[in-house]
Coordinates of all heavy atoms in Angstrom, one line a residue:
M1 N 23.1 -39.3 -44.0 CA 22.0 -39.7 -43.2 C 21.9 -39.0 -41.9 O 20.8 -38.8 -41.4 CB 22.1 -41.2 -43.0 CG 21.4 -42.1 -43.9 SD 19.8 -41.5 -44.1 CE 19.2 -42.5 -45.4
Q2 N 23.0 -38.6 -41.3 CA 22.9 -37.9 -40.1 C 22.2 -36.5 -40.2 O 21.5 -36.1 -39.3 CB 24.3 -37.7 -39.5 CG 24.4 -37.2 -38.1 CD 25.7 -37.1 -37.5 OE1 26.7 -37.3 -38.2 NE2 25.8 -36.9 -36.2
L3 N 22.4 -35.9 -41.3 CA 21.8 -34.6 -41.5 C 20.3 -34.8 -41.7 O 19.5 -33.9 -41.1 CB 22.3 -33.9 -42.8 CG 21.8 -32.6 -43.2 CD1 22.1 -31.6 -42.1 CD2 22.4 -32.1 -44.5
K4 N 19.8 -35.8 -42.3 CA 18.4 -36.1 -42.5 C 17.8 -36.3 -41.1 O 16.7 -35.8 -40.8 CB 18.2 -37.3 -43.4 CG 16.7 -37.5 -43.7 CD 16.5 -38.6 -44.7 CE 15.0 -38.8 -45.0 NZ 14.8 -39.8 -46.0
G5 N 18.4 -37.1 -40.2 CA 17.9 -37.3 -38.9 C 17.8 -36.0 -38.1 O 16.9 -35.8 -37.3
Y6 N 18.8 -35.1 -38.3 CA 18.8 -33.8 -37.6 C 17.6 -33.0 -38.1 O 16.9 -32.4 -37.2 CB 20.1 -33.1 -37.9 CG 20.1 -31.7 -37.4 CD1 20.2 -31.4 -36.0 CD2 20.0 -30.6 -38.2 CE1 20.2 -30.1 -35.5 CE2 20.0 -29.3 -37.8 CZ 20.1 -29.0 -36.4 OH 20.0 -27.8 -36.0
K7 N 17.4 -33.0 -39.4 CA 16.2 -32.2 -39.9 C 14.9 -32.7 -39.3 O 14.1 -31.9 -38.9 CB 16.2 -32.4 -41.4 CG 17.2 -31.5 -42.2 CD 16.9 -31.7 -43.7 CE 17.9 -30.9 -44.5 NZ 17.7 -31.1 -45.9
L8 N 14.8 -34.1 -39.2 CA 13.5 -34.6 -38.7 C 13.4 -34.3 -37.2 O 12.3 -33.9 -36.7 CB 13.5 -36.1 -38.9 CG 13.3 -36.6 -40.4 CD1 13.4 -38.1 -40.5 CD2 12.1 -36.0 -41.0
S9 N 14.5 -34.3 -36.5 CA 14.5 -34.0 -35.1 C 14.1 -32.5 -34.9 O 13.3 -32.2 -34.0 CB 15.8 -34.3 -34.5 OG 15.9 -33.8 -33.1
L10 N 14.7 -31.7 -35.7 CA 14.4 -30.2 -35.6 C 12.9 -30.0 -36.0 O 12.2 -29.2 -35.4 CB 15.3 -29.5 -36.6 CG 15.1 -27.9 -36.6 CD1 15.3 -27.4 -35.2 CD2 16.1 -27.3 -37.5
L11 N 12.4 -30.7 -37.0 CA 11.0 -30.5 -37.4 C 10.1 -30.9 -36.3 O 9.1 -30.3 -36.0 CB 10.7 -31.3 -38.7 CG 11.4 -30.7 -39.9 CD1 11.1 -31.6 -41.1 CD2 10.9 -29.3 -40.2
D12 N 10.4 -32.0 -35.6 CA 9.6 -32.5 -34.5 C 9.6 -31.5 -33.4 O 8.6 -31.2 -32.7 CB 10.1 -33.8 -33.9 CG 9.8 -35.0 -34.8 OD1 8.9 -34.9 -35.6 OD2 10.5 -36.1 -34.7
E13 N 10.8 -30.9 -33.1 CA 10.9 -29.8 -32.1 C 10.1 -28.6 -32.4 O 9.4 -28.1 -31.6 CB 12.4 -29.4 -31.9 CG 12.6 -28.5 -30.8 CD 14.1 -28.2 -30.6 OE1 15.0 -28.8 -31.2 OE2 14.4 -27.2 -29.8
L14 N 10.1 -28.2 -33.7 CA 9.3 -27.1 -34.1 C 7.8 -27.3 -34.0 O 7.0 -26.5 -33.5 CB 9.6 -26.7 -35.6 CG 11.0 -26.2 -35.9 CD1 11.2 -26.0 -37.4 CD2 11.3 -24.9 -35.1
V15 N 7.3 -28.6 -34.3 CA 6.0 -28.9 -34.1 C 5.6 -28.9 -32.7 O 4.5 -28.3 -32.3 CB 5.7 -30.3 -34.7 CG1 4.3 -30.8 -34.3 CG2 5.8 -30.3 -36.2
N16 N 6.5 -29.4 -31.8 CA 6.2 -29.4 -30.3 C 6.1 -27.9 -29.8 O 5.3 -27.6 -29.0 CB 7.2 -30.2 -29.6 CG 7.1 -31.7 -29.8 OD1 6.0 -32.1 -30.2 ND2 8.2 -32.4 -29.7
I17 N 7.0 -27.1 -30.2 CA 7.0 -25.7 -29.8 C 5.7 -25.0 -30.2 O 5.1 -24.3 -29.5 CB 8.3 -24.9 -30.4 CG1 9.5 -25.4 -29.7 CG2 8.1 -23.4 -30.2 CD1 10.8 -24.9 -30.3
N18 N 5.3 -25.2 -31.5 CA 4.1 -24.6 -32.0 C 2.9 -25.1 -31.2 O 2.0 -24.3 -30.9 CB 4.0 -25.0 -33.5 CG 2.8 -24.3 -34.1 OD1 1.8 -24.9 -34.4 ND2 2.9 -23.0 -34.3
M19 N 2.8 -26.4 -30.9 CA 1.7 -26.9 -30.2 C 1.6 -26.3 -28.8 O 0.5 -25.9 -28.3 CB 1.7 -28.4 -30.1 CG 1.4 -29.1 -31.5 SD 1.6 -30.9 -31.5 CE 0.8 -31.4 -30.0
E20 N 2.7 -26.2 -28.1 CA 2.8 -25.7 -26.8 C 2.4 -24.2 -26.8 O 1.6 -23.7 -25.9 CB 4.1 -25.9 -26.1 CG 4.2 -25.4 -24.7 CD 5.5 -25.7 -24.0 OE1 6.4 -26.4 -24.6 OE2 5.7 -25.2 -22.9
A21 N 2.9 -23.5 -27.7 CA 2.6 -22.0 -27.8 C 1.2 -21.8 -28.1 O 0.5 -20.9 -27.6 CB 3.5 -21.4 -28.9
G22 N 0.6 -22.6 -29.0 CA -0.8 -22.5 -29.3 C -1.7 -22.8 -28.1 O -2.7 -22.1 -27.9
T23 N -1.3 -23.8 -27.3 CA -2.1 -24.1 -26.1 C -2.1 -22.9 -25.2 O -3.1 -22.6 -24.5 CB -1.5 -25.4 -25.4 OG1 -1.6 -26.5 -26.3 CG2 -2.2 -25.7 -24.1
L24 N -0.9 -22.3 -25.0 CA -0.8 -21.2 -24.1 C -1.5 -19.9 -24.6 O -1.9 -19.0 -23.9 CB 0.7 -20.8 -23.9 CG 1.5 -21.9 -23.1 CD1 2.9 -21.6 -23.1 CD2 0.9 -22.1 -21.7
L25 N -1.7 -19.9 -25.9 CA -2.4 -18.7 -26.5 C -3.9 -18.7 -26.3 O -4.5 -17.6 -26.2 CB -2.1 -18.8 -28.1 CG -2.6 -17.6 -28.9 CD1 -1.9 -16.3 -28.5 CD2 -2.3 -17.9 -30.4
V26 N -4.5 -19.8 -26.0 CA -5.9 -19.9 -25.8 C -6.2 -19.5 -24.4 O -5.9 -20.3 -23.4 CB -6.4 -21.4 -26.1 CG1 -7.9 -21.5 -25.9 CG2 -6.1 -21.7 -27.5
I27 N -6.8 -18.4 -24.2 CA -7.0 -17.8 -22.8 C -8.5 -17.6 -22.5 O -8.8 -16.9 -21.5 CB -6.2 -16.5 -22.7 CG1 -6.6 -15.5 -23.7 CG2 -4.7 -16.8 -22.7 CD1 -6.0 -14.1 -23.4
Q28 N -9.3 -18.1 -23.3 CA -10.8 -17.9 -23.1 C -11.2 -18.3 -21.6 O -11.9 -17.7 -21.0 CB -11.6 -18.7 -24.1 CG -11.6 -18.1 -25.5 CD -10.6 -18.9 -26.3 OE1 -9.7 -19.5 -25.9 NE2 -10.9 -18.9 -27.6
K29 N -10.6 -19.5 -21.2 CA -11.0 -20.0 -19.9 C -10.6 -19.0 -18.8 O -11.4 -18.7 -17.9 CB -10.4 -21.4 -19.7 CG -10.7 -22.0 -18.3 CD -10.0 -23.4 -18.2 CE -10.3 -24.0 -16.8 NZ -9.6 -25.2 -16.6
E30 N -9.4 -18.5 -18.9 CA -8.9 -17.5 -17.9 C -9.7 -16.3 -17.9 O -10.0 -15.7 -16.9 CB -7.4 -17.3 -18.1 CG -6.5 -18.4 -17.7 CD -6.3 -19.5 -18.8 OE1 -7.0 -19.4 -19.9 OE2 -5.5 -20.4 -18.6
L31 N -10.0 -15.8 -19.1 CA -10.9 -14.6 -19.2 C -12.2 -14.8 -18.6 O -12.7 -13.9 -17.9 CB -11.0 -14.2 -20.7 CG -9.8 -13.7 -21.4 CD1 -10.1 -13.5 -22.9 CD2 -9.3 -12.4 -20.7
H32 N -12.8 -16.0 -18.8 CA -14.1 -16.3 -18.2 C -14.0 -16.3 -16.7 O -14.9 -15.8 -16.0 CB -14.6 -17.6 -18.8 CG -16.0 -18.0 -18.3 ND1 -17.1 -17.4 -18.6 CD2 -16.3 -19.0 -17.4 CE1 -18.1 -17.9 -18.0 NE2 -17.7 -18.9 -17.2
Q33 N -12.9 -16.9 -16.2 CA -12.7 -17.0 -14.8 C -12.5 -15.6 -14.2 O -13.1 -15.3 -13.1 CB -11.5 -17.9 -14.4 CG -11.8 -19.4 -14.6 CD -10.5 -20.2 -14.5 OE1 -9.4 -19.7 -14.6 NE2 -10.7 -21.5 -14.3
A34 N -11.8 -14.8 -14.9 CA -11.6 -13.4 -14.4 C -12.9 -12.6 -14.3 O -13.2 -11.9 -13.4 CB -10.6 -12.7 -15.3
L35 N -13.7 -12.8 -15.4 CA -15.0 -12.1 -15.3 C -15.9 -12.6 -14.2 O -16.6 -11.8 -13.5 CB -15.8 -12.3 -16.7 CG -15.2 -11.5 -17.8 CD1 -15.9 -11.9 -19.2 CD2 -15.4 -10.0 -17.6
N36 N -15.9 -13.9 -13.9 CA -16.6 -14.5 -12.8 C -16.2 -13.9 -11.5 O -17.0 -13.5 -10.6 CB -16.6 -16.0 -12.8 CG -17.4 -16.7 -13.8 OD1 -18.4 -16.0 -14.3 ND2 -17.1 -17.9 -14.1
R37 N -14.9 -13.8 -11.3 CA -14.3 -13.2 -10.0 C -14.7 -11.8 -9.9 O -15.1 -11.3 -8.8 CB -12.8 -13.4 -10.0 CG -12.4 -14.9 -9.8 CD -10.9 -15.0 -9.7 NE -10.5 -14.4 -8.5 CZ -9.2 -14.3 -8.2 NH1 -8.3 -14.8 -9.0 NH2 -8.8 -13.7 -7.1
L38 N -14.6 -11.0 -11.0 CA -15.0 -9.6 -10.9 C -16.5 -9.5 -10.6 O -16.9 -8.6 -9.9 CB -14.6 -8.9 -12.2 CG -13.1 -8.8 -12.5 CD1 -12.9 -8.4 -13.9 CD2 -12.6 -7.7 -11.5
E39 N -17.3 -10.3 -11.2 CA -18.8 -10.3 -10.9 C -19.1 -10.6 -9.5 O -19.9 -9.9 -8.8 CB -19.5 -11.2 -11.9 CG -21.0 -11.1 -11.8 CD -21.5 -9.8 -12.3 OE1 -21.0 -9.2 -13.3 OE2 -22.5 -9.2 -11.6
Q40 N -18.4 -11.6 -8.9 CA -18.5 -11.9 -7.5 C -18.1 -10.7 -6.6 O -18.8 -10.4 -5.7 CB -17.7 -13.1 -7.1 CG -18.3 -14.4 -7.7 CD -17.3 -15.6 -7.4 OE1 -16.3 -15.4 -6.8 NE2 -17.7 -16.8 -7.9
S41 N -17.0 -10.1 -7.0 CA -16.5 -8.9 -6.2 C -17.6 -7.8 -6.3 O -17.9 -7.1 -5.3 CB -15.2 -8.4 -6.8 OG -14.8 -7.2 -6.2
K42 N -18.1 -7.6 -7.5 CA -19.1 -6.5 -7.6 C -20.4 -6.8 -6.8 O -20.9 -5.9 -6.2 CB -19.5 -6.4 -9.1 CG -20.3 -5.2 -9.5 CD -20.5 -5.1 -11.0 CE -21.5 -4.0 -11.3 NZ -21.8 -3.9 -12.7
K43 N -20.8 -8.0 -6.8 CA -22.0 -8.4 -6.0 C -21.7 -8.2 -4.5 O -22.6 -7.6 -3.8 CB -22.4 -9.8 -6.2 CG -23.1 -10.0 -7.5 CD -23.4 -11.5 -7.8 CE -24.0 -11.7 -9.1 NZ -24.3 -13.1 -9.4
L44 N -20.5 -8.5 -4.0 CA -20.2 -8.3 -2.6 C -20.2 -6.8 -2.3 O -20.7 -6.4 -1.2 CB -18.9 -9.0 -2.2 CG -18.9 -10.5 -2.1 CD1 -17.5 -11.0 -2.0 CD2 -19.7 -10.9 -0.9
N45 N -19.5 -6.1 -3.2 CA -19.5 -4.6 -3.0 C -20.8 -4.0 -3.0 O -21.1 -3.0 -2.3 CB -18.5 -4.0 -4.0 CG -17.1 -4.2 -3.6 OD1 -16.7 -3.8 -2.5 ND2 -16.3 -4.7 -4.5
A46 N -21.7 -4.5 -3.9 CA -23.1 -3.9 -4.0 C -23.8 -4.2 -2.7 O -24.6 -3.4 -2.2 CB -23.8 -4.5 -5.2
D47 N -23.6 -5.4 -2.1 CA -24.2 -5.7 -0.8 C -23.7 -4.8 0.3 O -24.5 -4.3 1.1 CB -24.0 -7.2 -0.5 CG -24.7 -7.6 0.8 OD1 -25.9 -7.4 1.0 OD2 -24.0 -8.2 1.6
G48 N -22.4 -4.6 0.3 CA -21.8 -3.7 1.3 C -22.3 -2.3 1.1 O -22.5 -1.6 2.1
L49 N -22.4 -1.9 -0.1 CA -22.9 -0.5 -0.4 C -24.3 -0.3 0.1 O -24.6 0.7 0.7 CB -22.9 -0.2 -1.9 CG -23.4 1.1 -2.4 CD1 -22.6 2.3 -1.7 CD2 -23.3 1.3 -3.9
A50 N -25.2 -1.3 -0.1 CA -26.6 -1.2 0.3 C -26.6 -1.1 1.9 O -27.4 -0.3 2.4 CB -27.4 -2.4 -0.1
K51 N -25.8 -1.9 2.5 CA -25.8 -1.9 4.0 C -25.2 -0.6 4.5 O -25.6 0.0 5.5 CB -25.0 -3.1 4.5 CG -25.7 -4.4 4.3 CD -25.0 -5.6 4.7 CE -25.8 -6.8 4.4 NZ -25.2 -8.1 4.8
A52 N -24.1 -0.1 3.8 CA -23.5 1.2 4.3 C -24.5 2.3 4.1 O -24.6 3.2 4.9 CB -22.2 1.4 3.5
K53 N -25.3 2.3 3.0 CA -26.3 3.4 2.8 C -27.4 3.3 3.9 O -27.8 4.3 4.4 CB -26.9 3.2 1.4 CG -26.0 3.7 0.3 CD -26.7 3.6 -1.1 CE -25.9 4.2 -2.2 NZ -26.5 4.0 -3.5
K54 N -27.7 2.1 4.2 CA -28.7 1.9 5.3 C -28.2 2.5 6.6 O -28.9 3.2 7.3 CB -29.1 0.4 5.4 CG -30.3 0.1 6.1 CD -30.6 -1.4 6.1 CE -32.1 -1.6 6.3 NZ -32.4 -3.0 6.2
G55 N -27.0 2.1 6.9 CA -26.3 2.7 8.1 C -26.2 4.2 8.1 O -26.4 4.8 9.1
L56 N -25.9 4.7 6.9 CA -25.8 6.2 6.8 C -27.1 6.8 7.1 O -27.2 7.8 7.8 CB -25.3 6.5 5.4 CG -25.2 8.0 5.1 CD1 -24.2 8.7 6.0 CD2 -24.7 8.2 3.6
E57 N -28.2 6.3 6.5 CA -29.5 6.9 6.8 C -29.9 6.8 8.3 O -30.4 7.8 8.8 CB -30.6 6.1 6.0 CG -30.5 6.4 4.5 CD -30.6 7.9 4.2 OE1 -31.5 8.6 4.7 OE2 -29.7 8.4 3.4
S58 N -29.5 5.7 8.9 CA -29.8 5.6 10.4 C -29.0 6.6 11.1 O -29.5 7.3 12.1 CB -29.5 4.2 10.9 OG -30.3 3.3 10.3
A59 N -27.7 6.8 10.7 CA -26.8 7.7 11.4 C -27.3 9.1 11.2 O -27.3 10.0 12.1 CB -25.4 7.6 10.9
K60 N -27.9 9.4 10.0 CA -28.4 10.8 9.8 C -29.6 11.0 10.7 O -29.8 12.2 11.2 CB -28.8 10.9 8.3 CG -27.6 11.1 7.4 CD -28.0 11.3 6.0 CE -26.9 11.5 5.0 NZ -27.3 11.6 3.6
Q61 N -30.5 10.0 10.8 CA -31.7 10.2 11.7 C -31.3 10.4 13.1 O -31.9 11.2 13.9 CB -32.5 8.9 11.6 CG -33.3 8.8 10.3 CD -34.0 7.5 10.2 OE1 -34.1 6.7 11.1 NE2 -34.7 7.3 9.0
L62 N -30.1 9.8 13.6 CA -29.7 10.0 14.9 C -28.9 11.3 15.1 O -28.7 11.9 16.1 CB -28.8 8.9 15.4 CG -29.4 7.5 15.5 CD1 -28.4 6.4 15.8 CD2 -30.5 7.5 16.6
G63 N -28.4 11.8 13.9 CA -27.6 13.1 13.9 C -26.2 13.0 14.5 O -25.6 14.0 14.8
D64 N -25.7 11.8 14.5 CA -24.3 11.6 15.0 C -23.3 11.8 13.9 O -23.2 11.0 13.0 CB -24.2 10.2 15.6 CG -22.9 9.9 16.2 OD1 -22.0 10.7 16.2 OD2 -22.7 8.7 16.7
Q65 N -22.6 12.9 14.0 CA -21.7 13.4 12.9 C -20.6 12.4 12.6 O -20.3 12.1 11.5 CB -21.2 14.8 13.2 CG -20.5 15.4 12.0 CD -21.4 15.5 10.7 OE1 -22.6 15.8 10.8 NE2 -20.8 15.3 9.6
K66 N -20.0 11.8 13.7 CA -18.9 10.9 13.5 C -19.4 9.6 12.8 O -18.7 9.1 11.9 CB -18.3 10.5 14.9 CG -17.3 11.5 15.4 CD -16.5 11.0 16.5 CE -15.2 11.7 16.6 NZ -14.2 11.1 17.4
T67 N -20.5 9.1 13.2 CA -21.1 7.9 12.6 C -21.5 8.2 11.1 O -21.3 7.4 10.2 CB -22.3 7.4 13.4 OG1 -21.9 7.2 14.7 CG2 -22.8 6.1 12.8
I68 N -22.0 9.4 10.9 CA -22.3 9.8 9.5 C -21.1 9.8 8.6 O -21.1 9.3 7.5 CB -23.0 11.2 9.5 CG1 -24.4 11.1 10.1 CG2 -23.1 11.8 8.1 CD1 -25.1 12.5 10.3
E69 N -20.0 10.4 9.2 CA -18.8 10.4 8.4 C -18.2 9.0 8.1 O -17.7 8.7 7.1 CB -17.7 11.2 9.2 CG -18.0 12.7 9.2 CD -17.2 13.5 10.1 OE1 -16.2 12.9 10.7 OE2 -17.4 14.7 10.3
T70 N -18.3 8.1 9.1 CA -17.9 6.8 9.0 C -18.6 6.0 7.9 O -18.0 5.4 7.0 CB -18.0 6.0 10.3 OG1 -17.1 6.6 11.3 CG2 -17.5 4.5 10.2
F71 N -19.9 6.1 8.0 CA -20.8 5.4 6.9 C -20.6 6.1 5.6 O -20.6 5.4 4.5 CB -22.2 5.4 7.3 CG -22.6 4.3 8.3 CD1 -22.8 4.5 9.6 CD2 -22.6 3.0 7.9 CE1 -23.1 3.5 10.5 CE2 -22.8 1.9 8.8 CZ -23.1 2.2 10.1
T72 N -20.4 7.4 5.5 CA -20.1 8.1 4.3 C -18.9 7.5 3.6 O -18.8 7.3 2.4 CB -20.0 9.6 4.5 OG1 -21.3 10.1 5.0 CG2 -19.7 10.3 3.2
R73 N -17.8 7.3 4.4 CA -16.6 6.7 3.9 C -16.8 5.3 3.3 O -16.3 5.0 2.3 CB -15.5 6.7 5.0 CG -14.9 8.1 5.2 CD -13.6 8.0 6.1 NE -13.8 7.4 7.4 CZ -14.2 8.0 8.5 NH1 -14.3 9.4 8.4 NH2 -14.3 7.4 9.6
W74 N -17.7 4.5 4.0 CA -17.9 3.2 3.6 C -18.7 3.3 2.2 O -18.5 2.5 1.3 CB -18.7 2.4 4.6 CG -17.8 1.8 5.6 CD1 -17.7 2.1 6.9 CD2 -16.9 0.7 5.4 NE1 -16.7 1.3 7.5 CE2 -16.2 0.5 6.6 CE3 -16.5 0.0 4.3 CZ2 -15.2 -0.5 6.7 CZ3 -15.5 -1.0 4.4 CH2 -14.9 -1.2 5.6
V75 N -19.7 4.1 2.1 CA -20.5 4.3 0.9 C -19.5 4.7 -0.2 O -19.6 4.1 -1.3 CB -21.6 5.4 1.0 CG1 -22.1 5.8 -0.3 CG2 -22.7 4.9 2.0
D76 N -18.6 5.6 0.0 CA -17.6 6.0 -1.0 C -16.7 4.9 -1.4 O -16.5 4.6 -2.5 CB -16.8 7.2 -0.4 CG -16.0 7.9 -1.5 OD1 -16.5 8.1 -2.6 OD2 -14.8 8.2 -1.2
R77 N -16.3 4.1 -0.4 CA -15.3 3.0 -0.6 C -16.0 1.9 -1.5 O -15.4 1.5 -2.5 CB -14.9 2.4 0.7 CG -14.0 1.2 0.6 CD -12.7 1.6 0.2 NE -12.1 0.6 -0.7 CZ -10.8 0.6 -1.0 NH1 -10.0 1.6 -0.6 NH2 -10.4 -0.2 -1.8
F78 N -17.2 1.5 -1.1 CA -17.9 0.5 -1.9 C -18.2 1.0 -3.3 O -18.1 0.2 -4.3 CB -19.2 0.0 -1.2 CG -18.9 -0.9 0.0 CD1 -19.3 -0.6 1.2 CD2 -18.2 -2.1 -0.2 CE1 -19.0 -1.4 2.3 CE2 -18.0 -3.0 0.8 CZ -18.4 -2.6 2.1
S79 N -18.6 2.3 -3.4 CA -18.9 2.8 -4.7 C -17.7 2.8 -5.6 O -17.8 2.5 -6.8 CB -19.4 4.3 -4.6 OG -20.6 4.3 -3.9
K80 N -16.6 3.2 -5.1 CA -15.3 3.2 -5.9 C -14.9 1.7 -6.3 O -14.5 1.5 -7.4 CB -14.2 3.8 -5.1 CG -14.3 5.3 -5.0 CD -13.2 5.9 -4.2 CE -13.3 7.4 -4.1 NZ -12.3 8.0 -3.2
D81 N -15.1 0.8 -5.4 CA -14.7 -0.6 -5.7 C -15.6 -1.2 -6.8 O -15.2 -1.9 -7.6 CB -14.8 -1.5 -4.4 CG -13.5 -1.2 -3.5 OD1 -12.6 -0.6 -4.0 OD2 -13.6 -1.6 -2.4
I82 N -16.9 -0.8 -6.8 CA -17.8 -1.2 -7.8 C -17.4 -0.6 -9.1 O -17.4 -1.3 -10.2 CB -19.3 -0.8 -7.5 CG1 -19.8 -1.7 -6.3 CG2 -20.2 -1.0 -8.7 CD1 -21.1 -1.2 -5.7
A83 N -17.0 0.7 -9.1 CA -16.5 1.3 -10.4 C -15.3 0.6 -10.9 O -15.1 0.4 -12.1 CB -16.3 2.8 -10.1
R84 N -14.4 0.2 -10.0 CA -13.1 -0.4 -10.4 C -13.5 -1.8 -11.0 O -12.9 -2.2 -12.0 CB -12.2 -0.6 -9.2 CG -11.5 0.7 -8.7 CD -10.7 0.5 -7.5 NE -9.8 -0.7 -7.5 CZ -9.5 -1.4 -6.5 NH1 -10.0 -1.2 -5.3 NH2 -8.7 -2.5 -6.6
A85 N -14.4 -2.5 -10.4 CA -14.8 -3.8 -11.0 C -15.4 -3.6 -12.3 O -15.1 -4.4 -13.3 CB -15.8 -4.5 -10.0
D86 N -16.3 -2.6 -12.5 CA -16.9 -2.3 -13.8 C -15.8 -2.0 -14.9 O -15.9 -2.5 -16.0 CB -17.9 -1.2 -13.7 CG -19.2 -1.5 -13.1 OD1 -19.6 -2.7 -13.1 OD2 -19.9 -0.6 -12.6
K87 N -14.9 -1.2 -14.5 CA -13.8 -0.9 -15.4 C -13.0 -2.1 -15.8 O -12.7 -2.3 -17.0 CB -12.9 0.2 -14.8 CG -11.7 0.6 -15.7 CD -10.9 1.7 -15.1 CE -9.8 2.1 -16.0 NZ -8.9 3.1 -15.4
A88 N -12.7 -2.9 -14.8 CA -11.9 -4.2 -15.1 C -12.7 -5.1 -16.0 O -12.1 -5.7 -16.9 CB -11.5 -4.8 -13.8
M89 N -14.0 -5.2 -15.7 CA -14.8 -6.1 -16.5 C -14.9 -5.6 -18.0 O -14.8 -6.4 -18.9 CB -16.2 -6.2 -15.9 CG -16.3 -7.0 -14.7 SD -17.9 -6.9 -13.8 CE -18.9 -8.0 -14.9
S90 N -15.0 -4.3 -18.1 CA -15.0 -3.7 -19.5 C -13.6 -4.0 -20.2 O -13.6 -4.3 -21.4 CB -15.2 -2.2 -19.4 OG -15.1 -1.6 -20.6
Q91 N -12.5 -3.9 -19.5 CA -11.2 -4.2 -20.1 C -11.1 -5.6 -20.5 O -10.6 -5.9 -21.5 CB -10.1 -3.8 -19.1 CG -10.0 -2.3 -18.9 CD -9.1 -1.9 -17.8 OE1 -8.9 -2.6 -16.9 NE2 -8.5 -0.7 -17.9
V92 N -11.6 -6.5 -19.6 CA -11.5 -8.0 -19.9 C -12.4 -8.3 -21.1 O -12.0 -9.0 -22.0 CB -11.9 -8.8 -18.7 CG1 -12.0 -10.3 -19.1 CG2 -10.9 -8.7 -17.6
N93 N -13.6 -7.7 -21.2 CA -14.5 -7.9 -22.3 C -13.9 -7.3 -23.6 O -14.3 -7.8 -24.7 CB -15.8 -7.3 -22.0 CG -16.7 -8.2 -21.1 OD1 -16.6 -9.4 -21.2 ND2 -17.4 -7.6 -20.2
S94 N -13.1 -6.3 -23.5 CA -12.6 -5.7 -24.7 C -11.4 -6.4 -25.3 O -10.9 -6.1 -26.4 CB -12.1 -4.3 -24.4 OG -11.0 -4.2 -23.7
V95 N -10.9 -7.5 -24.6 CA -9.7 -8.2 -25.1 C -10.2 -9.0 -26.3 O -11.1 -9.8 -26.3 CB -9.2 -9.2 -24.0 CG1 -8.1 -10.1 -24.6 CG2 -8.6 -8.4 -22.9
N96 N -9.5 -8.7 -27.4 CA -9.8 -9.4 -28.7 C -8.8 -10.5 -28.9 O -7.7 -10.2 -29.3 CB -9.8 -8.4 -29.9 CG -10.2 -9.1 -31.2 OD1 -10.4 -10.3 -31.2 ND2 -10.2 -8.3 -32.2
I97 N -9.2 -11.7 -28.6 CA -8.3 -12.8 -28.6 C -8.2 -13.5 -30.0 O -7.4 -14.3 -30.3 CB -8.6 -13.9 -27.6 CG1 -10.0 -14.4 -27.7 CG2 -8.3 -13.4 -26.2 CD1 -10.4 -15.5 -26.7
G98 N -9.0 -13.0 -30.9 CA -8.9 -13.4 -32.3 C -9.3 -14.9 -32.6 O -8.9 -15.5 -33.6
F99 N -10.1 -15.5 -31.8 CA -10.5 -16.9 -32.0 C -12.0 -16.9 -32.3 O -12.8 -16.3 -31.7 CB -10.2 -17.8 -30.8 CG -8.7 -18.0 -30.6 CD1 -8.1 -17.3 -29.6 CD2 -8.0 -18.8 -31.5 CE1 -6.7 -17.4 -29.4 CE2 -6.6 -18.9 -31.3 CZ -6.0 -18.3 -30.3

């Protein structure tokens, strides 16, 4: 009888392990949250890029080389961050979770 109790206990443990592992396997919510955060980042960077471009145009009209260089760096920075967000979004979207 002791062996039968051990088998049932082990089977219960296996069921519990399987349920917990299955719960952890479902990551759709986390993927959705990641996409939302990346989209928010992209929107903020797009806003920054638009403002940096506006500043760059003003600096060009004034002919101030240092200010032009500063705004050019900001345009470049925001452009790179948008590209990084796009790449990350593509990677998240490509995750095949099989559900």
Side-chain angles (χ1 to χ4, degrees):
M1 265 314 173
Q2 190 175 8
L3 183 58
K4 187 175 183 177
Y6 172 74
K7 282 184 184 178
L8 293 177
S9 173
L10 182 57
L11 291 174
D12 286 342
E13 186 177 351
L14 294 175
V15 168
N16 290 336
I17 289 170
N18 183 254
M19 287 174 49
E20 185 176 353
T23 299
L24 294 172
L25 186 62
V26 180
I27 59 170
Q28 290 98 331
K29 181 179 177 185
E30 288 85 355
L31 291 173
H32 181 69
Q33 289 171 339
L35 285 172
N36 282 341
R37 290 181 66 183
L38 289 166
E39 188 62 42
Q40 289 173 0
S41 173
K42 188 175 172 182
K43 285 179 184 177
L44 286 170
N45 280 308
D47 184 48
L49 178 60
K51 290 177 181 177
K53 284 181 176 180
K54 197 174 203 178
L56 178 58
E57 288 306 312
S58 295
K60 284 180 179 178
Q61 289 175 1
L62 294 173
D64 183 357
Q65 193 57 38
K66 278 192 157 198
T67 306
I68 291 170
E69 290 170 6
T70 299
F71 279 108
T72 299
R73 284 192 301 271
W74 277 112
V75 167
D76 191 43
R77 177 75 216 192
F78 285 119
S79 296
K80 286 179 181 177
D81 286 346
I82 289 169
R84 286 176 47 215
D86 283 337
K87 182 178 179 182
M89 290 172 75
S90 176
Q91 290 170 334
V92 170
N93 281 323
S94 73
V95 172
N96 182 356
I97 55 177
F99 294 103

